[in-house]
Amino acid sequence: MDGFQCYVMLKKDAKIICRVKCSKPSMAINRIWDIGDFIKQEHLPSGLYSTRIHPAGEDKHQKEEWCKFMRFLKQYKKAAFARIENGKLYILPSFRDEEYGYAIVMYIMHEDTIPRSHNHIKLELKSENDGLANCKIDKQDPPGWKVYNKGPPNSKIDNEDCTSDQSLGNNKACQSRDETCSRSGVSATLQNAPVPGKNYVSAHPSYLKTLGQTHSDWIFGAIAEFVDNSRDAKATMLDISIDMIYSSIAGNEIPMLAVVDDGNGMSHDEIMKMVSFGRKQPDTDDPNYIGRYGVGFKTGTMRLGRDALVLTQTTNSRSIAFLSQSLNDGKDIIEIPIVTYSRKGQYMELDTNIQTEALSKANLKAIMEFSPFNKYFIGEKAGLFQKKGSGTQIYIWNLDEWGSKYSLEWVNGMSGGSSFHQGDILICSRRPRSRLGQMTREVPLDYSLRSYLEVIFLDPRMKINIQGALVKSRPLARFLHKTSIENGSVAGKPVELILGQSQLDLEQGNCGIFLYWHGRLIEAYKRVGSMIHNGEKSHGIIGVIDVTNVMDDGSGRVWVHNNKQGFVDCEPYALLEDWLSKKADDYLDNNIDKVHVKKSGPRHKPDHEWVQCNKCRKWRMLDADFDSKTLPQEWFCYMKPVNGKCEMPEQKLEQGVITISSQRSGYNCSENSSQKNSKAKDSPNKGGAGSVIGKGCEARVGNDEDAVPNWPVKRLRRLVKKVV
């Protein structure tokens, strides 16, 4: 004994795991606990007491064995069973303590060893639904050993002690003065319990409105949260649309935003994490995983509308969750009804291992009362899963308003697959976002969802449909003219910037750098260096860079805003801006043709034409003179002009070859190569990186009447000066 502590040696098969200490024991405890078996946590008996044990390893080996032991229990959701002289005990890991600094011991003693002189603790689970039986448990409480209570058989309402550890079955109940919490649609209240000296947080329904302010400056940022989640769920197809549906509450048709993917779906535990307010950041830094803060779903839905329903399915389960301001009006704490089904053969049935049938029916009743969804409508939407068997569907209604209209407008495309009349979702105001040095107001990706999703991913693979029409992805790095690849180091980390010229952005008067993080667009058209002040000179100049390495500090912290629409003002970002400014200015000085010729404007045709296969999603390089607009909307590798197979490897982006024919209109490349070579010798600039005369062509500027002889660049510039 050491004060109020007792040390015990934990063993398995007579081998030492670790020495542990128990706080304030109230009964005689064996000095050795020999684990005889492991059982599933959901199979634990009811009416158990609870306490904690802490590792007190005598050497490094015991500390390592303790961590392995806890990791095994946590991974497989097991409880270690051991017999003692006066009872039985079960050891469980704490799901809240990632460092394995303690474990939970559930135990039962023989009747003659239970103290009778201590105060009572009364736990009461309250439900506003008549179908849920209240669970009242009145037990003696030995000093320092908290009472663990379970509800009636099959209720699976597990409540933990006032230390707020993770309870069995991943169901949580928090304990503090006047504390309430929401579990599976049930409001839980702990009354007459001793205050443990810790404070916990409960959320008022008004907090749902506060969440929506995260994307207050740009509503497309809210939709991007769903696109991120779908990509993280390995979806291959995502459909985004707004349609009119009848609402019995409103008494007429109302618009509803639908976001449907064919990803992996979510289990009950995963959807509980999604609707919870924040979660632990991922342990591993997956470059293809975007989610970080655990708030994207809540902030996105509450920005777009007042009410949202999630229908998700895995291969073995289906869950429905309802996050609603309408449901929570007038309440003191947020209630989120959730109903979960498990697969039984070919059918989905209520999972009574998670919640009672009465509770499930009560939650369904609340969903149908406060939403346009009845059981037939839910069944219709669940039928969408049959194609792949898994996925997630999000439906949002009572959409955000702009005066007397909605903040979003939606346009249905014309039949026939025309690329000029495709459906789109637009921001009602059609205002461009504010950027340093920007003068043009024609920035489609700021108010057209189709334009934004064309460039949202650095390497797009997922098919995205808007209003039923496929978004034609446009990876910017593959669609530039005069491509220059710049490698360097920022804050000691390698970076690669791809610079070039875009005909589309030239026509719209745009320029700047597109910054991607984990392959997802964070900032668009960021002007750096002389781009900020030099007006038309920079129009059409586009840069593409992935800054994942620079904006992740390697210890789990990231320098990205939680709305994923900007970067934190920090030293790495400042160093990045300086590096980008230098590279952009060098590109302008070395690669931009300063010759101005009448009747012949610049044409920034990409160095190569690219097309994406609608099946394998690989990008195929086409000839520079091929017009990709002649290809059908749905193109496959076996079609012309590739005539190949999906198994063929994907081409990589290389430095562009600068040719006159791809820069100016009206050039004639029919001259023979011997004539070209003889004239190229007179030029002091012999086809180097800054040369205007490139491979395989001769210059012919303007139309036939104003044709300029095939002179070297130096003479051409002198002629221009004389003309001017």
Side-chain angles (χ1 to χ4, degrees), residues 73-86:
L73 297 179
K74 183 175 181 179
Q75 181 178 356
Y76 294 98
K77 297 182 180 179
K78 297 279 190 177
F81 170 74
R83 292 184 182 273
I84 55 178
E85 291 181 0
N86 51 357

Side-chain angles (χ1 to χ4, degrees), residues 47 66 68 85 210 231 255 413 541 630 647:
W66 168 264
K68 292 179 182 178
E85 291 181 0
T210 305
R231 186 186 127 170
I541 306 301
T630 61
E647 291 76 13

Side-chain angles (χ1 to χ4, degrees), residues 353-368:
N353 291 323
I354 293 176
Q355 50 193 181
T356 63
E357 184 176 352
L359 176 58
S360 300
K361 290 181 178 178
N363 287 340
L364 277 176
K365 181 180 178 182
I367 292 173
M368 291 187 287

Side-chain angles (χ1 to χ4, degrees), residues 252-504:
N252 52 33
E253 287 191 333
I254 60 172
M256 176 183 285
L257 173 66
V259 182
V260 180
D261 71 41
D262 64 349
N264 297 329
M266 291 177 284
S267 65
H268 177 78
D269 290 343
E270 290 169 332
I271 200 169
M272 287 290 290
K273 291 179 181 178
M274 188 183 76
V275 299
S276 300
F277 294 89
R279 66 171 182 267
K280 181 181 179 295
Q281 293 188 6
D283 296 324
T284 58
D285 188 18
D286 186 348
N288 296 317
Y289 192 84
I290 306 171
R292 282 295 183 278
Y293 302 100
V295 296
F297 167 75
K298 280 82 66 179
T299 59
T301 53
M302 293 298 101
R303 173 65 177 93
L304 291 162
R306 284 174 48 85
D307 307 284
L309 183 137
V310 182
L311 181 61
T312 184
Q313 180 169 301
T314 68
T315 55
N316 298 314
S317 68
R318 178 188 299 160
S319 295
I320 306 171
F322 185 36
L323 182 64
S324 168
Q325 294 184 37
S326 301
L327 171 67
N328 287 283
D329 279 346
K331 296 185 179 180
D332 295 326
I333 192 168
I334 297 174
E335 177 185 348
I336 306 175
I338 298 176
V339 182
T340 297
Y341 303 81
S342 60
R343 182 174 296 281
K344 305 294 184 182
Q346 296 181 346
Y347 302 96
M348 290 285 185
E349 299 179 359
L350 284 172
D351 192 343
T352 54
N353 291 323
I354 293 176
Q355 50 193 181
T356 63
E357 184 176 352
L359 176 58
S360 300
K361 290 181 178 178
N363 287 340
L364 277 176
K365 181 180 178 182
I367 292 173
M368 291 187 287
E369 181 180 353
F370 289 91
S371 77
F373 286 81
N374 54 35
K375 60 181 180 180
Y376 302 105
F377 198 16
I378 293 175
E380 177 186 334
K381 297 302 182 184
L384 299 177
F385 292 128
Q386 293 181 356
K387 185 175 182 180
K388 182 181 177 181
S390 64
T392 298
Q393 305 174 29
I394 301 174
Y395 299 96
I396 305 170
W397 62 98
N398 289 330
L399 300 179
D400 184 66
E401 296 179 350
W402 178 273
S404 60
K405 302 185 296 183
Y406 292 101
S407 296
L408 296 176
E409 295 180 359
W410 52 99
V411 180
N412 294 323
M414 297 179 63
S415 60
S418 172
S419 59
F420 300 101
H421 301 284
Q422 294 182 337
D424 201 356
I425 296 176
L426 306 163
I427 296 178
C428 176
S429 63
R430 286 178 170 78
R431 295 184 302 173
R433 304 176 71 186
S434 177
R435 296 180 181 87
L436 185 63
Q438 179 172 297
M439 293 175 286
T440 178
R441 297 185 61 83
E442 190 177 357
V443 191
L445 67 79
D446 284 353
Y447 47 81
S448 164
L449 184 61
R450 179 173 292 275
S451 298
Y452 173 53
L453 296 185
E454 284 179 355
V455 297
I456 190 172
F457 293 127
L458 185 64
D459 186 21
R461 301 292 171 177
M462 181 171 60
K463 297 179 184 178
I464 304 177
N465 291 311
I466 297 180
Q467 296 300 108
L470 182 66
V471 173
K472 193 171 184 179
S473 299
R474 189 164 57 95
L476 291 174
R478 301 175 185 268
F479 285 80
L480 297 177
H481 161 71
K482 278 191 175 181
T483 306
S484 174
I485 301 178
E486 303 289 342
N487 292 286
S489 176
V490 175
K493 298 178 180 179
V495 291
E496 181 180 86
L497 171 66
I498 300 174
L499 284 163
Q501 302 172 36
S502 166
Q503 178 67 26
L504 178 63

Side-chain angles (χ1 to χ4, degrees), residues 60-104:
K60 182 179 179 181
H61 174 73
Q62 289 189 15
K63 294 178 181 179
E64 292 176 351
E65 289 299 313
W66 168 264
C67 291
K68 292 179 182 178
F69 178 56
M70 289 293 104
R71 197 176 297 116
F72 169 79
L73 297 179
K74 183 175 181 179
Q75 181 178 356
Y76 294 98
K77 297 182 180 179
K78 297 279 190 177
F81 170 74
R83 292 184 182 273
I84 55 178
E85 291 181 0
N86 51 357
K88 305 174 184 178
L89 57 85
Y90 305 86
I91 303 173
L92 301 91
S94 171
F95 283 79
R96 296 191 182 208
D97 181 15
E98 299 296 334
E99 301 298 327
Y100 305 119
Y102 65 92
I104 304 167

Side-chain angles (χ1 to χ4, degrees), residues 648-699:
M648 293 166 44
E650 190 177 48
Q651 293 98 324
K652 295 182 179 180
L653 184 67
E654 298 177 352
Q655 288 277 6
V657 178
I658 304 170
T659 59
I660 282 290
S661 62
S662 64
Q663 183 181 5
R664 299 286 188 212
S665 61
Y667 293 108
N668 186 354
C669 297
S670 60
E671 308 253 358
N672 60 54
S673 58
S674 60
Q675 184 181 6
K676 178 200 72 169
N677 293 333
S678 63
K679 294 180 180 179
K681 292 180 181 179
D682 296 332
S683 173
N685 197 341
K686 299 181 180 180
S691 175
V692 178
I693 303 295
K695 296 181 181 179
C697 333
E698 288 299 324

